[in-house]
């Protein structure tokens, strides 16, 4: 009896793609380049885990909808007539057309562009065009609605869908990473964010995992983003405005980075955190955002409030990165093509000038014409090109492996520039790729 992998013609089992000893961690290059492994990922990772599909603030009113993807499956997220959120496969039950082709909008119903079948906001089939004498008059429409995504979770406004009806609950899946997602959301005094601005999208010619790894990579900044840090060093010192990087001394920023941490969680989630210096906190307390900092200290306590001011990126395996100013959604298009949608979000009920400050930091580093994200995206394509030299079989992700601390919840903590979150990501990749339910 041949295994599925053998039938697909892969000579490399997923559980042989990741090699780990006590001081060495390697990932096979085929993990990023092999077409058949990619197909298996769509089935076993994007078909078994919880995938971010949207935020409730994108569909605040009845009839609002947005389209998204679970791996390569198109989905539609709607606010139904009963004010409930529905997540359904965006595929007409007749002959398979994408039903809704708009990124977002408002509708009373959806009509398929091919033969005109009409569906309600909750996916029910309302009508079959040119029905009489064609399809039987008494056709049972009840079984012909859009297929619902088997599990949906709205966690504090973030909507996740899971194609596996038997998968563990979202909160169990999130595990110990939950408190870090809460930190992002609790930066708002009422614990709410708003993605009302829509998204800007970018595509790169590289594998989707490069973006997932990079979202919590504290090791690359000083090389890939050196020009940015030098610029804020010079410009910031002249203008006194550093945005998120309040301390303008480049050397201090680099040295201070050693005081942060990186973490890897079960199921592949991870964080990278770089704390504010005491001077930076003091500057925030006495600067234009003093009112916001004071309110946060009163609400959350000083220690947690100050942690909330830190730079902290959270990667929720496999497709959502959450940072100070953005939800970054990763969509695999093919083994060597990825779309990234970046949603800036407002914190609800904070002073306007604080959201403006966050927006300006976001524009400076992450926007389409900014100093940071375009450099990262270029690196992802360069990685994919480099991996065409297939004679070099393995990538090395061992940084900090020996000093990584493992607690009894399975959480690993490393230095901020260690490859701790990336290793957690690949351990989970291996787990799900070999988990045949
Ligand atoms: S494919 Fe949608 S109506 Fe025919
Ligand atoms: Fe980067």
């Amino acid at each position: 009896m041949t295994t599925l992998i053998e039938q697909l013609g892969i000579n490399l089992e997923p559980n042989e793609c990741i090699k780990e000893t006590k001081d060495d961690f390697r990932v096979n290059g085929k993990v990023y380049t092999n077409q058949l492994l990619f197909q298996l990922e769509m089935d076993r990772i994007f078909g078994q885990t919880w995938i971010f599909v949207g935020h409730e603030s994108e569909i605040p009113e009845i009839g609002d909808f947005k389209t998204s993807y679970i791996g390569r499956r198109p989905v539609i997220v709607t606010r139904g007539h009963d004010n409930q959120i529905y997540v359904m496969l965006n595929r007409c039950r007749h002959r398979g057309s994408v039903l809704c082709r708009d990124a977002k909008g408002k509708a009373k119903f959806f009509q398929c562009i091919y033969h005109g079948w009409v569906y309600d906001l909750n996916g029910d089939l309302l009508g079959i065009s040119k029905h009489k004498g064609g399809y039987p008059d008494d056709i049972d429409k009840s079984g012909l609605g859009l297929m619902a995504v088997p599990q949906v979770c709205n966690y504090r406004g973030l909507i996740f869908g899971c194609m596996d009806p038997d998968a563990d609950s979202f909160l169990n899946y999130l595990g110990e990473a939950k408190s870090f997602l809460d930190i992002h959301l609790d930066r708002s005094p009422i614990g709410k964010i708003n993605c009302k601005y829509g998204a800007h999208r970018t595509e790169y010619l590289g594998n989707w995992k490069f973006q997932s790894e990079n979202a919590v990579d504290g090791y690359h900044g000083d090389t890939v983003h050196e020009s940015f840090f030098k610029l804020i060093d010079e410009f910031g010192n002249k203008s006194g405005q550093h945005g998120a990087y309040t301390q303008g001394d480049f050397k201090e920023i680099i040295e201070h980075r050693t005081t942060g941490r990186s973490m890897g969680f079960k199921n592949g989630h991870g964080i990278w955190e770089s704390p504010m210096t005491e001077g930076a906190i003091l500057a925030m307390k006495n600067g234009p955002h003093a009112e916001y900092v004071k309110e946060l200290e009163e609400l959350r306590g000083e220690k947690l409030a100050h942690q909330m001011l830190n730079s902290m990126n959270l990667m929720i395996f496999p497709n959502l990165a959450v940072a100070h100013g953005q939800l970054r959604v990763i969509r695999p298009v093919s083994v060597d093509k990825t779309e990234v949608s970046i949603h800036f979000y407002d914190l609800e009920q904070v002073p306007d000038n604080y959201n403006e400050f966050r927006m300006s930091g976001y524009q400076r580093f992450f926007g389409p014409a900014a100093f940071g994200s375009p450099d990262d995206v270029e690196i992802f394509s360069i990685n994919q090109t480099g991996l065409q030299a297939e004679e070099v079989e393995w990538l090395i992700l061992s940084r900090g492996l020996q000093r990584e601390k493992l607690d009894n919840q399975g959480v690993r903590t490393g230095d901020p520039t260690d490859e701790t979150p990336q290793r957690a990501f690949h351990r989970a990749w291996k787990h799900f790729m070999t988990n045949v339910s």
Side-chain angles (χ1 to χ4, degrees), residues 305-346:
H306 293 175
Q307 194 185 348
M308 287 176 173
L309 299 175
N310 293 343
S311 279
M312 188 266 284
N313 294 358
L314 163 68
M315 181 68 217
I316 299 179
F317 184 92
N319 84 320
L320 175 67
V322 187
H324 242 302
Q326 62 175 284
L327 302 180
R328 180 173 288 228
V329 187
I330 302 155
R331 169 163 89 90
V333 178
S334 63
V335 68
D336 55 5
K337 191 169 175 182
T338 304
E339 181 195 77
V340 181
S341 301
I342 310 178
H343 302 249
F344 173 79
Y345 61 81
D346 271 347

Short mmCIF file of all heavy atoms in Angstrom, two decimals, residues 305-346:
data_model
loop_
_atom_site.label_atom_id
_atom_site.label_comp_id
_atom_site.label_asym_id
_atom_site.label_seq_id
_atom_site.Cartn_x
_atom_site.Cartn_y
_atom_site.Cartn_z
N ALA A 305 0.27 48.27 31.30
CA ALA A 305 0.13 49.44 30.41
C ALA A 305 1.44 49.72 29.69
O ALA A 305 1.46 49.99 28.49
CB ALA A 305 -0.32 50.65 31.21
N HIS A 306 2.56 49.63 30.42
CA HIS A 306 3.85 49.91 29.79
C HIS A 306 4.21 48.81 28.79
O HIS A 306 4.80 49.09 27.75
CB HIS A 306 4.95 50.09 30.84
CG HIS A 306 4.72 51.33 31.67
ND1 HIS A 306 5.50 51.66 32.74
CD2 HIS A 306 3.77 52.31 31.59
CE1 HIS A 306 5.06 52.79 33.28
NE2 HIS A 306 4.01 53.20 32.60
N GLN A 307 3.81 47.57 29.11
CA GLN A 307 4.05 46.48 28.14
C GLN A 307 3.25 46.75 26.86
O GLN A 307 3.68 46.43 25.76
CB GLN A 307 3.65 45.13 28.74
CG GLN A 307 4.20 43.96 27.93
CD GLN A 307 3.72 42.61 28.44
OE1 GLN A 307 3.17 42.50 29.53
NE2 GLN A 307 3.95 41.58 27.65
N MET A 308 2.08 47.37 27.03
CA MET A 308 1.24 47.66 25.86
C MET A 308 1.85 48.72 24.96
O MET A 308 1.46 48.86 23.80
CB MET A 308 -0.15 48.11 26.32
CG MET A 308 -0.96 46.95 26.85
SD MET A 308 -2.53 47.48 27.50
CE MET A 308 -3.26 45.88 27.84
N LEU A 309 2.79 49.50 25.50
CA LEU A 309 3.44 50.52 24.68
C LEU A 309 4.60 49.92 23.86
O LEU A 309 5.09 50.52 22.91
CB LEU A 309 3.98 51.66 25.55
CG LEU A 309 2.93 52.42 26.36
CD1 LEU A 309 3.60 53.44 27.28
CD2 LEU A 309 1.92 53.12 25.46
N ASN A 310 5.04 48.72 24.23
CA ASN A 310 6.16 48.08 23.52
C ASN A 310 5.83 47.79 22.07
O ASN A 310 4.67 47.66 21.70
CB ASN A 310 6.49 46.72 24.16
CG ASN A 310 7.05 46.84 25.55
OD1 ASN A 310 7.48 47.91 25.94
ND2 ASN A 310 7.03 45.74 26.29
N SER A 311 6.89 47.63 21.28
CA SER A 311 6.71 47.02 19.96
C SER A 311 6.55 45.53 20.19
O SER A 311 7.41 44.89 20.79
CB SER A 311 7.96 47.23 19.10
OG SER A 311 7.95 48.50 18.55
N MET A 312 5.44 44.97 19.74
CA MET A 312 5.24 43.52 19.88
C MET A 312 4.47 43.01 18.66
O MET A 312 3.40 43.53 18.35
CB MET A 312 4.48 43.21 21.17
CG MET A 312 4.39 41.73 21.51
SD MET A 312 2.87 40.98 20.91
CE MET A 312 1.67 41.58 22.11
N ASN A 313 5.06 42.07 17.98
CA ASN A 313 4.38 41.44 16.84
C ASN A 313 3.95 40.04 17.25
O ASN A 313 4.71 39.32 17.88
CB ASN A 313 5.31 41.31 15.63
CG ASN A 313 5.71 42.66 15.07
OD1 ASN A 313 5.28 43.70 15.55
ND2 ASN A 313 6.55 42.64 14.04
N LEU A 314 2.74 39.71 16.87
CA LEU A 314 2.19 38.37 17.16
C LEU A 314 1.86 37.70 15.85
O LEU A 314 1.19 38.29 15.00
CB LEU A 314 0.92 38.53 18.01
CG LEU A 314 -0.03 37.33 18.10
CD1 LEU A 314 0.61 36.18 18.87
CD2 LEU A 314 -1.35 37.75 18.76
N MET A 315 2.32 36.47 15.69
CA MET A 315 1.95 35.68 14.50
C MET A 315 1.00 34.58 14.95
O MET A 315 1.35 33.76 15.82
CB MET A 315 3.22 35.08 13.89
CG MET A 315 2.97 34.25 12.64
SD MET A 315 2.41 35.23 11.25
CE MET A 315 1.24 34.09 10.50
N ILE A 316 -0.21 34.59 14.42
CA ILE A 316 -1.15 33.50 14.70
C ILE A 316 -1.09 32.55 13.50
O ILE A 316 -1.45 32.93 12.38
CB ILE A 316 -2.57 34.04 14.93
CG1 ILE A 316 -2.58 34.99 16.13
CG2 ILE A 316 -3.56 32.89 15.14
CD1 ILE A 316 -3.93 35.60 16.44
N PHE A 317 -0.59 31.36 13.76
CA PHE A 317 -0.37 30.37 12.71
C PHE A 317 -1.68 30.05 11.99
O PHE A 317 -2.69 29.84 12.66
CB PHE A 317 0.20 29.09 13.37
CG PHE A 317 0.57 28.00 12.41
CD1 PHE A 317 1.87 27.90 11.91
CD2 PHE A 317 -0.36 27.04 12.00
CE1 PHE A 317 2.22 26.88 11.04
CE2 PHE A 317 -0.01 26.02 11.13
CZ PHE A 317 1.28 25.94 10.65
N PRO A 318 -1.77 30.01 10.69
CA PRO A 318 -0.67 30.25 9.76
C PRO A 318 -0.74 31.57 9.02
O PRO A 318 0.20 31.92 8.33
CB PRO A 318 -0.88 29.11 8.75
CG PRO A 318 -2.38 28.97 8.67
CD PRO A 318 -2.91 29.31 10.04
N ASN A 319 -1.85 32.35 9.17
CA ASN A 319 -2.01 33.43 8.17
C ASN A 319 -2.28 34.82 8.72
O ASN A 319 -2.63 35.70 7.94
CB ASN A 319 -3.15 33.07 7.18
CG ASN A 319 -4.53 33.44 7.71
OD1 ASN A 319 -4.80 33.26 8.89
ND2 ASN A 319 -5.37 33.95 6.86
N LEU A 320 -2.15 35.04 10.04
CA LEU A 320 -2.45 36.39 10.55
C LEU A 320 -1.32 36.90 11.43
O LEU A 320 -0.92 36.24 12.40
CB LEU A 320 -3.74 36.38 11.39
CG LEU A 320 -4.07 37.72 12.07
CD1 LEU A 320 -4.43 38.78 11.03
CD2 LEU A 320 -5.20 37.56 13.08
N ALA A 321 -0.81 38.08 11.09
CA ALA A 321 0.14 38.77 11.96
C ALA A 321 -0.56 40.00 12.53
O ALA A 321 -1.27 40.71 11.82
CB ALA A 321 1.38 39.17 11.19
N VAL A 322 -0.37 40.21 13.83
CA VAL A 322 -0.96 41.37 14.49
C VAL A 322 0.18 42.21 15.05
O VAL A 322 1.04 41.69 15.78
CB VAL A 322 -1.89 40.95 15.65
CG1 VAL A 322 -2.63 42.16 16.21
CG2 VAL A 322 -2.88 39.88 15.21
N ALA A 323 0.20 43.48 14.70
CA ALA A 323 1.22 44.39 15.23
C ALA A 323 0.53 45.63 15.76
O ALA A 323 -0.69 45.72 15.78
CB ALA A 323 2.25 44.72 14.15
N HIS A 324 1.33 46.60 16.20
CA HIS A 324 0.78 47.81 16.81
C HIS A 324 -0.31 48.44 15.97
O HIS A 324 -1.33 48.85 16.46
CB HIS A 324 1.90 48.83 16.99
CG HIS A 324 2.13 49.18 18.42
ND1 HIS A 324 1.15 49.71 19.21
CD2 HIS A 324 3.22 49.09 19.19
CE1 HIS A 324 1.64 49.94 20.42
NE2 HIS A 324 2.89 49.55 20.45
N GLY A 325 -0.08 48.52 14.67
CA GLY A 325 -1.03 49.27 13.84
C GLY A 325 -1.67 48.47 12.75
O GLY A 325 -2.30 49.04 11.86
N GLN A 326 -1.54 47.16 12.75
CA GLN A 326 -2.02 46.45 11.57
C GLN A 326 -2.40 45.01 11.84
O GLN A 326 -1.82 44.35 12.69
CB GLN A 326 -0.95 46.45 10.48
CG GLN A 326 0.29 45.71 10.94
CD GLN A 326 1.33 45.58 9.84
OE1 GLN A 326 1.19 44.79 8.94
NE2 GLN A 326 2.36 46.39 9.95
N LEU A 327 -3.35 44.55 11.03
CA LEU A 327 -3.59 43.12 10.85
C LEU A 327 -3.03 42.80 9.47
O LEU A 327 -3.40 43.43 8.48
CB LEU A 327 -5.09 42.81 10.87
CG LEU A 327 -5.88 43.22 12.12
CD1 LEU A 327 -7.35 42.83 11.96
CD2 LEU A 327 -5.30 42.56 13.37
N ARG A 328 -2.15 41.83 9.42
CA ARG A 328 -1.50 41.47 8.15
C ARG A 328 -1.95 40.07 7.78
O ARG A 328 -1.69 39.13 8.52
CB ARG A 328 0.02 41.55 8.31
CG ARG A 328 0.78 41.20 7.06
CD ARG A 328 2.27 41.47 7.26
NE ARG A 328 2.54 42.88 7.30
CZ ARG A 328 3.51 43.49 6.61
NH1 ARG A 328 4.30 42.78 5.84
NH2 ARG A 328 3.70 44.78 6.70
N VAL A 329 -2.63 39.95 6.66
CA VAL A 329 -3.27 38.69 6.30
C VAL A 329 -2.52 38.07 5.11
O VAL A 329 -2.33 38.73 4.08
CB VAL A 329 -4.75 38.91 5.95
CG1 VAL A 329 -5.45 37.57 5.74
CG2 VAL A 329 -5.45 39.71 7.04
N ILE A 330 -2.12 36.82 5.29
CA ILE A 330 -1.26 36.16 4.31
C ILE A 330 -2.08 35.14 3.53
O ILE A 330 -2.74 34.28 4.12
CB ILE A 330 -0.08 35.45 5.03
CG1 ILE A 330 0.71 36.49 5.84
CG2 ILE A 330 0.81 34.70 4.05
CD1 ILE A 330 1.47 35.91 7.01
N ARG A 331 -2.05 35.27 2.20
CA ARG A 331 -2.83 34.35 1.36
C ARG A 331 -1.91 33.64 0.37
O ARG A 331 -1.32 34.28 -0.50
CB ARG A 331 -3.90 35.11 0.59
CG ARG A 331 -4.57 34.27 -0.48
CD ARG A 331 -5.86 34.87 -0.95
NE ARG A 331 -5.75 35.79 -2.04
CZ ARG A 331 -5.82 35.43 -3.34
NH1 ARG A 331 -5.95 34.18 -3.68
NH2 ARG A 331 -5.76 36.36 -4.28
N PRO A 332 -1.79 32.31 0.52
CA PRO A 332 -0.99 31.59 -0.46
C PRO A 332 -1.73 31.51 -1.80
O PRO A 332 -2.90 31.10 -1.83
CB PRO A 332 -0.86 30.19 0.16
CG PRO A 332 -1.98 30.07 1.12
CD PRO A 332 -2.40 31.44 1.53
N VAL A 333 -1.10 31.95 -2.86
CA VAL A 333 -1.72 31.89 -4.19
C VAL A 333 -1.22 30.65 -4.92
O VAL A 333 -2.00 29.89 -5.48
CB VAL A 333 -1.40 33.17 -5.00
CG1 VAL A 333 -2.00 33.10 -6.41
CG2 VAL A 333 -1.92 34.41 -4.26
N SER A 334 0.09 30.43 -4.89
CA SER A 334 0.69 29.22 -5.42
C SER A 334 1.97 28.99 -4.63
O SER A 334 2.29 29.78 -3.73
CB SER A 334 0.98 29.35 -6.92
OG SER A 334 1.91 30.38 -7.13
N VAL A 335 2.70 27.96 -4.96
CA VAL A 335 3.89 27.65 -4.16
C VAL A 335 4.88 28.82 -4.15
O VAL A 335 5.58 29.03 -3.16
CB VAL A 335 4.55 26.33 -4.63
CG1 VAL A 335 5.17 26.48 -6.03
CG2 VAL A 335 5.59 25.83 -3.63
N ASP A 336 4.89 29.62 -5.23
CA ASP A 336 5.85 30.72 -5.29
C ASP A 336 5.18 32.07 -5.52
O ASP A 336 5.76 32.97 -6.11
CB ASP A 336 6.92 30.44 -6.36
CG ASP A 336 6.30 30.17 -7.71
OD1 ASP A 336 5.06 30.27 -7.84
OD2 ASP A 336 7.05 29.85 -8.65
N LYS A 337 3.95 32.19 -5.06
CA LYS A 337 3.27 33.49 -5.18
C LYS A 337 2.35 33.68 -3.97
O LYS A 337 1.60 32.76 -3.61
CB LYS A 337 2.45 33.54 -6.46
CG LYS A 337 1.92 34.91 -6.79
CD LYS A 337 1.37 34.90 -8.19
CE LYS A 337 0.71 36.20 -8.53
NZ LYS A 337 0.14 36.19 -9.85
N THR A 338 2.41 34.86 -3.37
CA THR A 338 1.67 35.13 -2.13
C THR A 338 1.07 36.53 -2.20
O THR A 338 1.71 37.45 -2.70
CB THR A 338 2.63 35.04 -0.92
OG1 THR A 338 3.26 33.76 -0.93
CG2 THR A 338 1.90 35.24 0.40
N GLU A 339 -0.13 36.65 -1.69
CA GLU A 339 -0.74 37.98 -1.55
C GLU A 339 -0.79 38.34 -0.07
O GLU A 339 -1.13 37.51 0.76
CB GLU A 339 -2.17 37.97 -2.11
CG GLU A 339 -2.83 39.34 -2.02
CD GLU A 339 -4.32 39.27 -2.24
OE1 GLU A 339 -5.05 38.87 -1.29
OE2 GLU A 339 -4.76 39.63 -3.33
N VAL A 340 -0.43 39.57 0.23
CA VAL A 340 -0.49 40.05 1.61
C VAL A 340 -1.44 41.24 1.66
O VAL A 340 -1.29 42.18 0.88
CB VAL A 340 0.91 40.47 2.11
CG1 VAL A 340 0.85 40.94 3.55
CG2 VAL A 340 1.90 39.32 1.98
N SER A 341 -2.43 41.19 2.55
CA SER A 341 -3.35 42.32 2.73
C SER A 341 -3.06 42.93 4.09
O SER A 341 -3.06 42.22 5.10
CB SER A 341 -4.81 41.85 2.73
OG SER A 341 -5.10 41.21 1.54
N ILE A 342 -2.85 44.23 4.09
CA ILE A 342 -2.51 44.90 5.35
C ILE A 342 -3.62 45.88 5.71
O ILE A 342 -3.95 46.78 4.94
CB ILE A 342 -1.16 45.62 5.23
CG1 ILE A 342 -0.11 44.68 4.65
CG2 ILE A 342 -0.72 46.13 6.59
CD1 ILE A 342 1.24 45.31 4.44
N HIS A 343 -4.20 45.64 6.89
CA HIS A 343 -5.29 46.50 7.37
C HIS A 343 -4.74 47.35 8.51
O HIS A 343 -4.41 46.81 9.57
CB HIS A 343 -6.44 45.67 7.95
CG HIS A 343 -7.04 44.68 6.99
ND1 HIS A 343 -8.30 44.81 6.48
CD2 HIS A 343 -6.54 43.53 6.48
CE1 HIS A 343 -8.56 43.79 5.68
NE2 HIS A 343 -7.51 43.00 5.67
N PHE A 344 -4.68 48.65 8.33
CA PHE A 344 -4.41 49.51 9.48
C PHE A 344 -5.67 49.52 10.34
O PHE A 344 -6.78 49.53 9.82
CB PHE A 344 -4.08 50.94 9.03
CG PHE A 344 -3.96 51.89 10.19
CD1 PHE A 344 -2.81 51.91 10.95
CD2 PHE A 344 -5.03 52.71 10.54
CE1 PHE A 344 -2.71 52.74 12.05
CE2 PHE A 344 -4.93 53.56 11.65
CZ PHE A 344 -3.76 53.57 12.40
N TYR A 345 -5.50 49.50 11.66
CA TYR A 345 -6.68 49.60 12.51
C TYR A 345 -6.55 50.74 13.51
O TYR A 345 -5.46 51.03 13.99
CB TYR A 345 -6.98 48.28 13.23
CG TYR A 345 -5.91 47.76 14.17
CD1 TYR A 345 -5.78 48.27 15.47
CD2 TYR A 345 -5.04 46.75 13.78
CE1 TYR A 345 -4.81 47.80 16.35
CE2 TYR A 345 -4.07 46.27 14.66
CZ TYR A 345 -3.96 46.80 15.93
OH TYR A 345 -2.99 46.34 16.79
N ASP A 346 -7.69 51.36 13.78
CA ASP A 346 -7.79 52.35 14.86
C ASP A 346 -8.03 51.64 16.18
O ASP A 346 -8.69 50.60 16.21
CB ASP A 346 -9.00 53.27 14.62
CG ASP A 346 -8.65 54.48 13.78
OD1 ASP A 346 -7.45 54.73 13.58
OD2 ASP A 346 -9.59 55.15 13.33
#
